[in-house]
Amino acid sequence: MGSNLDLRKYESVESIQDAFSRIVSGGKPGYKAVIERKKTPPKCNKCGRGGDPDQKFCNMCGGKMVTPLTNCPGCKKPIIEGDKFCIECGHALAQPA
Ligand SMILES: [Zn+2]
Ligand SMILES: [Zn+2]
């Protein structure tokens, strides 16, 4: 299990990095934490099971692993998981099969 820190409230990678820097340095000014950008874990398009970032097919049902969209391809706004269309610009968010 990972940490319970909810990073979704941070708007950008920079603000996440700032927050992390403060945590790991104990508030030391000027400290910059290096954050490894994690790939979004893919999900099986058949059974919905989550997998490893490099996994291509589901180990449970053989379905294709697809990476959930996190930002609209049209306007780059963050999107809500499960949405079919962007609430900002109407761009279709259907996963490639
Ligand atoms: Zn599956
Ligand atoms: Zn959009």
Side-chain angles (χ1 to χ4, degrees):
M1 274 292 155
S3 79
N4 293 321
L5 196 62
D6 187 2
L7 297 176
R8 283 169 299 184
K9 65 185 171 182
Y10 297 106
E11 305 224 340
S12 67
V13 174
E14 285 71 36
S15 55
I16 293 170
Q17 196 165 30
D18 281 350
F20 255 114
S21 300
R22 256 175 274 132
I23 295 164
V24 296
S25 71
K28 224 185 280 175
Y31 186 93
K32 268 275 183 200
V34 178
I35 300 170
E36 195 186 324
R37 277 215 205 194
K38 285 225 170 83
K39 288 189 216 167
T40 312
K43 267 188 185 174
C44 173
N45 70 353
K46 272 192 190 169
C47 71
R49 191 184 164 86
D52 293 327
D54 296 318
Q55 197 170 334
K56 300 215 172 34
F57 292 95
C58 179
N59 55 322
M60 293 308 285
C61 75
K64 198 177 175 198
M65 304 301 281
V66 292
T67 307
L69 290 170
T70 53
N71 290 82
C72 172
C75 68
K76 308 295 178 206
K77 293 260 185 192
I79 57 175
I80 299 145
E81 196 181 337
D83 277 5
K84 300 271 190 290
F85 294 93
C86 176
I87 56 168
E88 281 292 323
C89 72
H91 198 287
L93 305 172
Q95 295 288 348

